[in-house]
Amino acid sequence: MIENLNLISEGKAKSLYETSETSELLMVYRDDTSAFDGKKKEALKGKGEINNKFNAFIMEYLANNGVETHFLKLIQENKSLVRKLDMLPVECVVRNIATGSLCRRLGVEEGIKFEDPLFEFFLKDDDLGDPLINDNHITAFGWGTEQEISKMKEITFKINHLLCELFKKVGLILVDYKVEYGRSNGSLMLGDEFTPDGCRIWDAETGESLDKDRFRKDLGDVVESYQIVAHKLGISL
Ligand code: 5GP
């Protein structure tokens, strides 16, 4: 099937193909896993399939709760159909607990819980190491409008509220995550993916990392941890 389709882009963990519908794309989740701007790489068997199903579950949950997304449907174990978007070159990160690049950048203590979640924009540019940017950079360089900035913040905080509640119910803490947005017919909607590759999830009781930090920090059992999270959320794999 894929052999006949044109490859549009190949990211570190996903490939995007054109389909016979000009407004739709095929998103293929691969087993490839990378960290530190691609310096550490490995293929983790079964990860593509889990992430595809995990993403479908989260996207459908968000859509059912009023968040417009590009997700259309899961069509095969590691493939989903999505609406074609004109992506903004920015990453939106929300943090509920301080860890990761925030602590390295500001020298702040790990584990500080924020009463109000913290929002950050990063420029999507591997060569520059995805630098932190602010609202003014986005408008000054034409990466997005003021209205789009407001909408990205509003939707990203709404996602945080919805997913923190969802994860809490099954004994998980959503520590932080990254989402991306794109335009379709002038309106902004959630694109890319929401999987354990792009968020931090801790076990509420033990504090154990159940996300890509397992790969980044060589903690072992990466795919197995994604399976544990999926199982807790009731995602059938
Ligand atoms: P940090 O800035 O601490 O490295 O990451 C904050 C959150 O955003 C983490 O949950 C991390 O997984 C996610 N994140 C940040 N940048 C990227 C990226 O380029 N790709 C992916 N998949 N996730 C990212």
Side-chain angles (χ1 to χ4, degrees):
M1 179 190 176
I2 286 187
E3 292 77 48
N4 304 321
L5 300 177
N6 284 333
L7 177 69
I8 294 189
S9 67
E10 195 154 60
K12 295 193 205 91
K14 298 191 297 297
S15 305
L16 271 179
Y17 293 84
E18 274 177 348
T19 67
S20 50
E21 285 290 330
T22 50
S23 61
E24 296 177 5
L25 298 176
L26 183 72
M27 193 170 250
V28 179
Y29 286 80
R30 308 192 314 271
D31 287 344
D32 301 327
T33 313
S34 75
F36 313 121
D37 295 321
K39 285 179 199 89
K40 179 174 178 179
K41 283 191 214 165
E42 209 177 308
L44 301 172
K45 198 165 166 1
K47 195 204 65 159
E49 194 177 317
I50 292 182
N51 274 4
N52 185 38
K53 292 176 180 170
F54 195 102
N55 178 66
F57 175 87
I58 297 286
M59 290 281 172
E60 278 170 358
Y61 182 79
L62 293 175
N64 288 337
N65 286 281
V67 175
E68 205 180 355
T69 87
H70 71 154
F71 180 78
L72 295 171
K73 63 177 177 200
L74 188 143
I75 53 171
Q76 273 180 38
E77 298 296 284
N78 68 332
K79 299 179 186 72
S80 284
L81 211 54
V82 298
R83 215 185 300 254
K84 186 175 185 174
L85 299 184
D86 170 25
M87 296 301 290
L88 275 65
V90 298
E91 299 181 341
C92 301
V93 168
V94 160
R95 301 176 190 272
N96 296 302
I97 301 179
T99 186
S101 77
L102 177 72
C103 295
R104 289 195 297 277
R105 192 176 346 113
L106 302 181
V108 292
E109 203 184 309
E110 290 249 354
I112 296 171
K113 290 190 179 75
F114 301 117
E115 216 159 280
D116 294 317
L118 195 83
F119 184 99
E120 293 175 329
F121 278 122
F122 294 88
L123 178 65
K124 255 183 97 64
D125 188 322
D126 280 343
D127 293 340
L128 298 177
D130 293 349
L132 179 78
I133 53 172
N134 66 27
D135 301 21
N136 292 137
H137 293 108
I138 295 177
T139 50
F141 294 106
W143 296 322
T145 63
E146 266 178 44
Q147 289 81 354
E148 285 172 333
I149 290 170
S150 302
K151 196 154 180 208
M152 284 192 280
K153 289 183 185 173
E154 184 193 316
I155 307 172
T156 309
F157 280 128
K158 179 170 182 178
I159 291 171
N160 192 47
H161 178 71
L162 289 168
L163 297 187
C164 280
E165 289 293 307
L166 180 73
F167 282 43
K168 194 176 169 189
K169 280 188 207 147
V170 297
L172 298 169
I173 299 170
L174 181 60
V175 174
D176 58 27
Y177 60 91
K178 181 264 303 175
V179 285
E180 297 179 25
Y181 295 89
R183 305 173 187 112
S184 171
N185 298 323
S187 91
L188 201 74
M189 65 180 76
L190 181 66
D192 194 50
E193 65 171 62
F194 194 105
T195 70
D197 272 4
C199 66
R200 289 192 174 94
I201 304 163
W202 293 350
D203 183 292
E205 249 176 51
T206 64
E208 190 185 11
S209 292
L210 299 169
D211 52 67
K212 203 165 89 176
D213 270 354
R214 299 195 70 83
F215 175 73
R216 295 186 188 102
K217 298 179 177 174
D218 289 321
L219 301 175
D221 293 346
V222 183
V223 175
E224 291 81 351
S225 296
Y226 289 22
Q227 273 165 346
I228 290 171
V229 176
H231 181 71
K232 281 180 187 270
L233 288 169
I235 302 170
S236 39
L237 298 174

